[in-house]
Amino acid sequence: MESIKEAVEYFHKGGLVMWPLLLCSIIVVTIAIERYLYYKTADSGSLFTQEFCTLISKGDVAGAEQLAAASAGECARIVRETMALSGDSTRHSAYMESQAGLVIAKLRNRLHYLGVIVTMSPLLGLLGTIIGMIGSFSIFNLQEGQPMAITGGIGEALIATASGLCVAILALCAHSYFAQRLDTSITNMEQCFSALLEAESRGDI
């Protein structure tokens, strides 16, 4: 309870910029949770890619179809629908490319906001610090002749900078994590699509 009181006290000492920083932190946490849940259902995983490509390379098309049917995620759905699609390899390639573009757009959704917050949060913190220091070095404090008041004011002003950096670090960690998962998902899809097209060129499908 005491720690909560101290946190609230520090929050108020940080100035008005603490409110947009609080909003940014809530947005980061919300996006991180939403993206984690989405990636959990949309990403077929590297294990699926490895097993699918192994089956295709062995010529076990039926086993690959069963694996795709039993697996969740967008990559499994695309290869499953492609294998059930009639037509030649050109049509299959165009279908996989269009579907992959839609999936990648959905995977990238909202990650841009995290990048904006990474840049904006330290600037907000710096703005709060500058405003606080202007107040500390105002003519009124100097007339009072209290150096300790000025020093204390600077310390309170630095709270905004520290808070802005904390929010930026949180947003950067979340953005880096999901950017890595996005790259992995794209690589997995490319491997599955290449294996599927290669099997078609061999006449296995």
Side-chain angles (χ1 to χ4, degrees):
M1 203 57 189
E2 190 67 27
S3 59
I4 296 177
K5 272 185 176 182
E6 290 182 4
V8 172
E9 186 178 346
Y10 276 118
F11 180 85
H12 288 295
K13 285 181 179 179
L16 291 177
V17 295
M18 295 297 288
W19 290 104
L21 287 175
L22 177 62
L23 178 62
C24 287
S25 63
I26 293 174
I27 293 174
V28 170
V29 172
T30 303
I31 291 176
I33 294 174
E34 187 274 335
R35 288 288 86 188
Y36 176 79
L37 295 175
Y38 180 75
Y39 273 70
K40 192 175 180 180
T41 58
D43 188 10
S44 297
S46 298
L47 182 60
F48 165 79
T49 300
Q50 182 180 356
E51 293 179 352
F52 182 83
C53 292
T54 301
L55 291 171
I56 288 292
S57 63
K58 291 179 179 179
D60 188 2
V61 178
E65 286 180 339
Q66 291 177 359
L67 176 64
S71 301
E74 295 295 333
C75 183
R77 177 188 65 82
I78 293 174
V79 295
R80 182 172 63 246
E81 292 176 355
T82 302
M83 295 174 79
L85 192 66
S86 61
D88 56 8
S89 60
T90 302
R91 184 185 180 190
H92 290 175
S93 178
Y95 179 79
M96 288 188 292
E97 184 177 347
S98 62
Q99 289 296 310
L102 295 174
V103 170
I104 292 171
K106 291 180 181 178
L107 290 173
R108 281 181 177 154
N109 193 24
R110 298 187 180 88
L111 294 185
H112 175 70
Y113 297 119
L114 295 178
V116 172
I117 292 175
V118 168
T119 304
M120 185 174 63
S121 295
L123 296 178
L124 286 173
L126 182 61
L127 176 63
T129 297
I130 292 174
I131 292 173
M133 291 181 71
I134 290 174
S136 298
F137 284 101
S138 66
I139 188 65
F140 302 106
N141 287 332
L142 292 177
Q143 284 180 349
E144 291 174 3
Q146 296 179 350
M148 292 300 295
I150 297 176
T151 306
I154 295 174
E156 292 179 4
L158 291 175
I159 294 174
T161 296
S163 301
L165 289 174
C166 288
V167 174
I169 291 171
L170 179 64
L172 179 61
C173 290
H175 185 274
S176 299
Y177 172 75
F178 291 114
Q180 178 62 37
R181 290 200 64 174
L182 173 63
D183 291 339
T184 303
S185 298
I186 294 174
T187 302
N188 289 338
M189 283 192 289
E190 289 176 347
Q191 289 178 351
C192 289
F193 299 165
S194 297
L196 194 58
L197 292 176
E198 184 178 351
E200 288 186 347
S201 66
R202 294 196 308 262
D204 294 340
I205 300 177

